[in-house]
Amino acid sequence: MNEVFDFIINSRKAFIQLIDGLTNEELNKIPDGFNNNIIWNFGHIVVSTQTLCYVRTGILEDAASVKFNEYYKKDTKPTYTVTEEEVAELKGIALSSIEKIKADYAAGKFSSITPFTTATYGVQLNSIEEVLITTVGHDNVHQGYAWALKKIL
């Protein structure tokens, strides 16, 4: 699983590089015909992985401890202009949250989870390993959306 964690961290670092090359105005721009922006896609992967790993698995009762969840969870869209300070905080959480999940994994916190079916893929996830592999795909889908949004800015 170390390889999976490394891949998630490295792909998030690549997403951060994409963000670092844009102005705050560009990060917040919602192009015509779209309902979200680059920073929403980034924030969404940050909160989704935490909720998938801790809440959907039954480790935590709710997502109250997932910062920014209300703004970036599934079925939301941008409702305000994200500040540079929030962007910086999201970048930090993007990496630190994976390090926390990795540490909790090593400590056996996810040894027994409640299986669940994803809303997006309709697939039942029975182990934390399956959740993390799904996270890889989910993160990359949203990074792809961000690259497409960048091209039309």
Side-chain angles (χ1 to χ4, degrees):
M1 283 303 293
N2 281 334
E3 294 86 1
V4 173
F5 285 112
D6 289 346
F7 186 86
I8 295 169
I9 288 170
N10 288 331
S11 66
R12 287 186 175 206
K13 286 179 179 178
F15 206 149
I16 289 168
Q17 284 181 322
L18 182 154
I19 289 170
D20 284 345
L22 299 170
T23 66
N24 203 54
E25 182 180 334
E26 290 169 325
L27 291 173
N28 281 282
K29 182 169 178 49
I30 302 172
D32 291 339
F34 290 83
N35 63 4
N36 60 39
N37 53 31
I38 292 170
I39 196 59
W40 183 90
N41 279 279
F42 185 71
H44 177 68
I45 69 164
V46 171
V47 304
S48 293
T49 300
Q50 294 174 81
T51 57
L52 286 172
C53 288
Y54 291 104
V55 180
R56 297 292 309 274
T57 61
I59 304 298
L60 293 177
E61 191 172 311
D62 60 44
S65 64
V66 179
K67 188 160 189 184
F68 301 116
N69 186 59
E70 289 303 310
Y71 306 114
Y72 299 107
K73 67 184 178 182
K74 183 173 175 51
D75 297 325
T76 63
K77 56 186 175 184
T79 58
Y80 64 95
T81 300
V82 176
T83 64
E84 291 178 19
E85 292 78 18
E86 185 171 321
V87 172
E89 192 167 2
L90 284 167
K91 287 191 267 186
I93 296 169
L95 301 176
S96 66
S97 63
I98 300 304
E99 294 295 345
K100 180 179 182 343
I101 293 166
K102 184 177 180 179
D104 286 345
Y105 178 82
K109 190 166 192 165
F110 301 107
S111 60
S112 177
I113 69 162
T114 303
F116 65 93
T117 301
T118 65
T120 303
Y121 300 112
V123 175
Q124 182 167 311
L125 303 179
N126 299 304
S127 68
I128 193 63
E129 292 83 2
E130 291 177 0
V131 174
L132 290 167
I133 290 166
T134 302
T135 291
V136 169
H138 181 259
D139 279 14
N140 288 323
V141 164
H142 286 280
Q143 187 175 358
Y145 290 154
W147 277 108
L149 287 164
K150 179 181 176 185
K151 284 187 172 269
I152 61 172
L153 288 178

